[in-house]
């Protein structure tokens, strides 16, 4: 059984000799070539070469062609901010004051889709016999947020019918994007909808489930396999996700694999995840990565319907040796046994060099946003924007600071603040909004209340 067949069986929740292995290589492909992310994501030849290099190094069973949740949004008129070490981010929202019928028509022959599909053609020719290829598309809810901006969350209450019309449109875009990938031979379509971690279960069932199912049904009608890929702490919505008509659910480190395994058994879904992106892959040693892989394998219960993968796009800067260490734990049972017996967990890092402000003595209210990286993580981006907008409405001084956990400073602040999930908003050292994007007025009132308290403290 080659890797491609093994992965497809795992996704169908069949028993396999070992768990499947899918490194979600996006801009990391550019890193492997020494090419900046912005140049890499705009070049067919670089994408094909970067993914080819990743296949040679990491021996995956499956791999995405690209990991970029802005491809559809760019075609629909969103302006992007490009970076050399992260995927682009959306900076304008055509439906923030614009009309739905004024959007340019979505066409996979436009934008960067043609070069991505051409890269897929080349990769399938070179590796398609033994590697399965994922086509990643932007989920309807996240695409709606790109188009509408943070107004989406308010409009879910005030303009429900309009939001549903936008989501219907976004689901149609998803269907066309999925069809384009499948027409070019993609084996799996991953619907990546990270913003769904930011809403309640009731809102998920109203504004996400019907539109995801439209896309999943379309994928199945074309004989494809459908994976639902989420980031952030979507625990509250995990069962609702399992009730959708996908074949597989992939999660990041914020969610318990044990819990997902239980839901997978109940709803007959295969599962994927949840290697730690920063603590292990980016900042950890090879031994850390081996231990993390073993943790995931044990938590998922072995080799029935499990795909070992990172929880999101592999960050820029992850050492090749760390991903190779993960691959070894899957592909070499003897080495895995040695690792389990000989690698001991290192003493917890106390981050003694990281100091927090004395918040009560600071004249300004400090709003700390713990993120993966707002330039590459959509929930992080929109949470940071919400905090800045709320702070701009106050007369009192407010300091907004983003702490990216892909850096040691960010990890240290996260640890010292006791934050366990990202993204999270802390106000003067207290976690207030954990992996959920608050209503703009609620966030404003929370910051304002703290500002009033500090004025009273300084006056007494």
């Amino acid at each position: 059984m080659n890797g491609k067949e093994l992965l497809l069986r795992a996704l169908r929740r069949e028993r396999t000799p070992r768990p499947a292995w899918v490194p979600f290589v996006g801009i990391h492909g550019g890193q492997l070539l020494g090419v900046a992310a912005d140049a890499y994501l705009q070049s067919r030849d670089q994408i094909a070469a970067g993914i080819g290099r990743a296949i040679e190094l990491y021996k995956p069973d499956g791999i995405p062609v690209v990991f970029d949740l802005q491809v559809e949004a760019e075609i629909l008129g969103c302006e992007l901010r490009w970076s050399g070490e992260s995927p682009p981010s959306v900076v304008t929202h055509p439906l923030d004051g614009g009309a739905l019928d004024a959007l340019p028509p979505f066409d996979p022959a436009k934008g960067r889709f043609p070069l991505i599909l051409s890269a897929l053609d080349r990769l399938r020719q070179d590796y398609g016999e033994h590697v399965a290829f994922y086509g990643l598309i932007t989920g309807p809810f996240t695409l709606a947020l790109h188009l509408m901006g943070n107004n989406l969350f308010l409009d879910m209450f005030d303009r429900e019918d309009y939001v549903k019309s936008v989501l219907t449109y976004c689901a149609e875009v998803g269907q066309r994007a999925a069809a384009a990938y499948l027409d070019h031979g993609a084996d799996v379509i991953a619907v990546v909808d990270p913003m769904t971690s930011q809403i309640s279960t009731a809102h998920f069932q109203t504004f996400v489930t019907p539109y995801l199912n439209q896309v999943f049904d379309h994928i199945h009608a074309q004989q494809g396999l459908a994976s639902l890929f989420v980031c952030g702490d979507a625990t509250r919505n995990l069962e609702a996700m399992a009730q959708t008509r996908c074949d597989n659910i992939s999660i990041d480190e914020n969610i318990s694999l044990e819990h997902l395994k239980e839901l997978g058994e109940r709803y007959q879904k295969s599962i994927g995840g949840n290697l730690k992106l920063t603590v292990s892959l980016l900042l950890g040693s090879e031994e850390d990565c081996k231990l993390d892989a073993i943790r995931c394998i044990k938590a998922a219960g072995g080799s029935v319907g499990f795909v070992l993968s990172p929880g999101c796009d592999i960050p820029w800067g992850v050492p090749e040796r760390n991903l190779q260490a993960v691959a070894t734990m899957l592909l070499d049972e003897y080495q895995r046994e040695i690792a389990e017996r000989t690698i001991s967990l290192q003493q917890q890092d106390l981050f003694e060099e990281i100091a927090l402000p004395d918040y009560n003595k600071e004249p300004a209210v400090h709003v700390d946003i713990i993120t993966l990286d707002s330039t590459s993580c959509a929930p992080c981006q929109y949470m940071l924007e919400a905090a800045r907008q709320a702070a701009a409405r106050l007369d009192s001084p407010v300091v907004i600071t983003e702490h990216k956990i892909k850096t040691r400073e960010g990890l240290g602040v996260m640890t010292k603040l006791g934050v366990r999930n990202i993204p999270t908003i802390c106000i003067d050292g207290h976690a207030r909004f954990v992996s959920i994007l608050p209503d703009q007025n609620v966030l404003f009132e929370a910051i304002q209340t703290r500002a009033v308290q500090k004025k009273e403290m300084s006056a007494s």
Side-chain angles (χ1 to χ4, degrees), residues 366-388:
H366 284 252
V367 179
D368 297 295
I369 300 97
I370 314 301
T371 72
L372 174 62
D373 184 342
S374 63
T375 65
S376 59
C377 162
C380 303
Q381 174 190 347
Y382 289 110
M383 185 172 277
L384 181 61
E385 287 182 6
R388 286 172 173 165

Side-chain angles (χ1 to χ4, degrees), residues 21 23-26 28-30 32-33 40 46-64 123 127 131 314 320 323-324 327:
W21 162 228
F24 280 104
V25 174
H28 181 71
L32 295 178
L33 303 177
Y40 174 78
Q46 301 289 10
I47 291 171
I51 297 302
R53 178 62 178 156
I55 290 171
E56 300 297 334
L57 285 172
Y58 308 138
K59 306 296 187 292
D61 303 308
I63 198 166
L123 288 163
Y127 303 101
V131 177
I314 295 170
E320 297 172 23
L323 288 163
Q324 289 174 313

Side-chain angles (χ1 to χ4, degrees), residues 290-342:
K290 290 177 180 179
L291 279 173
D292 201 23
I294 292 169
R295 171 192 65 81
C296 292
I297 294 169
K298 287 184 173 181
S303 55
V304 176
F306 177 54
V307 180
L308 179 66
S309 63
C312 198
D313 181 12
I314 295 170
W316 189 274
V318 168
E320 297 172 23
R321 62 181 179 273
N322 282 1
L323 288 163
Q324 289 174 313
V326 171
T328 298
M329 293 299 93
L330 275 180
L331 304 176
D332 191 327
E333 185 176 358
Y334 175 68
Q335 290 296 327
R336 184 165 68 249
E337 291 178 359
I338 291 176
E340 288 183 284
R341 293 182 182 183
T342 62

Side-chain angles (χ1 to χ4, degrees), residues 5 89 93 104 114 163 192 261 274 276 318 325 363 390 420 425 449:
E5 183 180 357
S89 57
H93 313 288
V163 170
V192 188
K261 175 178 178 289
N274 67 351
K276 297 177 180 178
V318 168
R420 296 186 177 275
I425 293 177
T449 297

Side-chain angles (χ1 to χ4, degrees), residues 245-447:
R245 293 194 285 272
C246 63
D247 301 293
N248 168 267
I249 299 173
S250 288
I251 60 169
D252 74 7
E253 62 208 72
N254 285 279
I255 298 175
S256 162
L257 260 180
E258 290 89 347
H259 181 37
L260 182 60
K261 175 178 178 289
E262 294 173 3
L263 292 172
E265 292 172 350
R266 187 185 313 168
Y267 293 99
Q268 292 299 290
K269 307 290 186 187
S270 61
I271 63 174
N274 67 351
L275 290 167
K276 297 177 180 178
L277 285 174
T278 55
V279 175
S280 297
L281 294 180
L282 181 60
L283 301 175
S285 64
E286 293 173 67
E287 288 73 21
D288 294 326
C289 294
K290 290 177 180 179
L291 279 173
D292 201 23
I294 292 169
R295 171 192 65 81
C296 292
I297 294 169
K298 287 184 173 181
S303 55
V304 176
F306 177 54
V307 180
L308 179 66
S309 63
C312 198
D313 181 12
I314 295 170
W316 189 274
V318 168
E320 297 172 23
R321 62 181 179 273
N322 282 1
L323 288 163
Q324 289 174 313
V326 171
T328 298
M329 293 299 93
L330 275 180
L331 304 176
D332 191 327
E333 185 176 358
Y334 175 68
Q335 290 296 327
R336 184 165 68 249
E337 291 178 359
I338 291 176
E340 288 183 284
R341 293 182 182 183
T342 62
I343 300 175
S344 60
L345 287 170
Q346 298 178 350
Q347 186 176 7
Q348 183 179 3
D349 194 336
L350 299 179
F351 296 98
E352 293 180 352
E353 79 281 13
I354 304 295
L356 297 178
D358 186 339
Y359 294 106
N360 287 334
K361 293 183 179 179
E362 291 283 325
V365 175
H366 284 252
V367 179
D368 297 295
I369 300 97
I370 314 301
T371 72
L372 174 62
D373 184 342
S374 63
T375 65
S376 59
C377 162
C380 303
Q381 174 190 347
Y382 289 110
M383 185 172 277
L384 181 61
E385 287 182 6
R388 286 172 173 165
Q389 291 170 8
R393 296 167 56 188
L394 271 80
D395 295 330
S396 304
V398 179
V399 176
I400 304 289
T401 309
E402 178 185 7
H403 303 279
K404 304 175 183 180
I405 67 165
K406 60 195 294 184
T407 67
R408 179 170 175 80
E409 182 274 340
L411 279 173
V413 171
M414 180 181 183
T415 300
K416 294 206 166 187
L417 289 175
V419 172
R420 296 186 177 275
N421 305 104
I422 56 171
T424 287
I425 293 177
C426 297
I427 299 177
D428 269 356
H430 298 281
R432 292 296 307 274
F433 303 99
V434 179
S435 195
I436 191 165
L437 190 61
D439 173 83
Q440 185 67 225
N441 290 330
V442 172
L443 178 55
F444 169 78
E445 289 172 3
I447 300 174

